[in-house]
Amino acid sequence: MTITHDIRVLLGDVGIDAMNAAGGVLPDLRGVRLPIPAAAPLPATVSAEKRESWPEPFTPPTELPQAAQLPHAASSFSAAKRLLYERVYTDHRITFYCGCGYDPQKQTALESCGLGFMAANKRAQRVEAEHIFPAAQFGQSLACWRAPATFPQCLKTGGGQLSGRACCEKVDPTFATAHNDLQNLVPAVGAINGKRSDFNWGMVSGGERFGDCAIRIDASTRRVEPPSVVRGDVARTMLYMRDTYGFRLSRQDEQLYAAWNNADPPDTWEIDRNHRISQIQGRGNRYVEEYKRL
């Protein structure tokens, strides 16, 4: 019912790992064969003429690219965050969802975005790197995420073990690349990041609001409606992650993201951000670079 409502409404993060000579990117994995996901079906409601207007490939790849073709992402989440704050957003210190300013120490100016009432919330006082495509959604199907204790590399000296996320970062190169991909990371008010959790995107009729911030979070349906000014950004990131890593999206989600893409084309900052990330990782998001209505 929630998905049906989506469509109806639319039709109106341990430490820093050793970095290689390339400057904080994952090791050269040429020759490593990656898993092949099942392909998602084409939306039956999309005409042939409509399909031709989508950037290729329209469907998720039936075979993932060789590791050598993946972005040159940072070798750790710590390194990715440093690149995010110091190179991508160095002169654009504004949080993604709520438009809050923040300083070089990543302390948020809550009064600048109508969130002054959250000043006593310690997590709201800081900026965090948020995954637009939640890491839990593409990690939970992996054995390293579900059962890290079964991986000797994920056992700590003394008997402890790494978390599922940390284990997958260590043993699964594809997960690590996707997890640290700057295209999928944005600065967000920490408390908002926490509330969003790993919920999926959608349109919600109710949900929790946060002062002047237009994001709406419905924990009961595990859906989050982003502010209208960044819906296109969200859509183009989700489609990029689908195409780059073979992550599956439902037919309804693809239709949702198509509508968001069309209603909110890339603005100057999104284009500049993509260019900066392309310079760092060796490739950009084609849904931004070759923008067209879907």
Side-chain angles (χ1 to χ4, degrees), residues 92-109:
H92 189 86
R93 297 193 186 104
I94 306 235
T95 64
F96 183 66
Y97 304 124
C98 303
C100 305
Y102 62 91
D103 63 23
Q105 289 70 47
K106 296 181 286 297
Q107 297 298 300
T108 54

Side-chain angles (χ1 to χ4, degrees), residues 108-282:
T108 54
L110 296 170
E111 294 287 353
S112 70
C113 53
L115 296 180
F117 68 95
M118 301 180 75
N121 184 320
K122 290 186 177 180
R123 191 167 180 181
Q125 296 171 12
R126 68 175 186 262
V127 166
E128 297 177 356
E130 158 87 317
H131 289 90
I132 292 179
F133 198 125
Q137 288 191 17
F138 58 81
Q140 61 190 359
S141 64
L142 302 174
C144 51
W145 185 286
R146 299 193 313 271
T150 62
F151 291 79
Q153 310 96 303
C154 299
L155 298 178
K156 298 179 180 178
T157 303
Q161 67 182 52
L162 296 176
S163 67
R165 180 191 298 258
C167 182
C168 286
E169 283 192 82
K170 188 170 186 177
V171 305
D172 191 307
T174 305
F175 175 90
T177 303
H179 185 271
N180 302 331
D181 193 325
L182 293 171
Q183 292 285 359
N184 194 38
L185 295 174
V186 291
V189 175
I192 304 295
N193 180 24
K195 288 283 189 179
R196 188 261 165 129
S197 185
D198 60 354
F199 301 163
N200 201 8
W201 301 108
M203 303 296 291
V204 301
S205 57
E208 187 175 4
R209 299 293 298 269
F210 306 88
D212 292 343
C213 185
I215 194 169
R216 184 174 292 182
I217 301 175
D218 189 343
S220 66
T221 61
R222 298 180 62 84
R223 308 284 284 191
V224 181
E225 181 181 332
S228 59
V229 294
V230 295
R231 287 178 192 166
D233 309 53
V234 167
R236 287 180 284 276
T237 297
M238 296 295 285
L239 294 171
Y240 162 88
M241 295 295 284
R242 179 199 68 179
D243 290 358
T244 304
Y245 301 102
F247 300 154
R248 297 188 64 187
L249 298 175
S250 70
R251 181 182 66 184
Q252 292 86 351
D253 280 343
E254 288 181 330
Q255 292 174 334
L256 177 75
Y257 300 142
W260 283 0
N261 171 80
N262 297 345
D264 176 36
D267 58 17
T268 300
W269 166 245
E270 186 181 357
I271 294 170
D272 190 18
R273 173 184 178 275
N274 178 70
H275 178 67
R276 296 180 186 196
I277 293 173
S278 177
Q279 290 184 315
I280 296 169
Q281 297 190 161

Side-chain angles (χ1 to χ4, degrees), residues 29-109:
L29 299 169
R30 290 172 172 79
V32 176
R33 194 63 180 171
L34 303 176
I36 300 174
L42 283 169
T45 58
V46 180
S47 67
E49 179 180 356
K50 179 76 169 178
R51 287 196 295 270
E52 291 176 358
S53 71
W54 283 69
E56 294 294 335
F58 174 70
T59 55
T62 56
E63 182 175 306
L64 282 173
Q66 293 290 331
Q69 296 176 300
L70 292 176
H72 296 292
S75 59
S76 72
F77 192 45
S78 296
K81 290 189 291 184
R82 191 172 67 220
L83 289 168
L84 184 74
Y85 299 130
E86 297 179 5
R87 291 188 58 182
V88 180
Y89 285 83
T90 182
D91 56 357
H92 189 86
R93 297 193 186 104
I94 306 235
T95 64
F96 183 66
Y97 304 124
C98 303
C100 305
Y102 62 91
D103 63 23
Q105 289 70 47
K106 296 181 286 297
Q107 297 298 300
T108 54

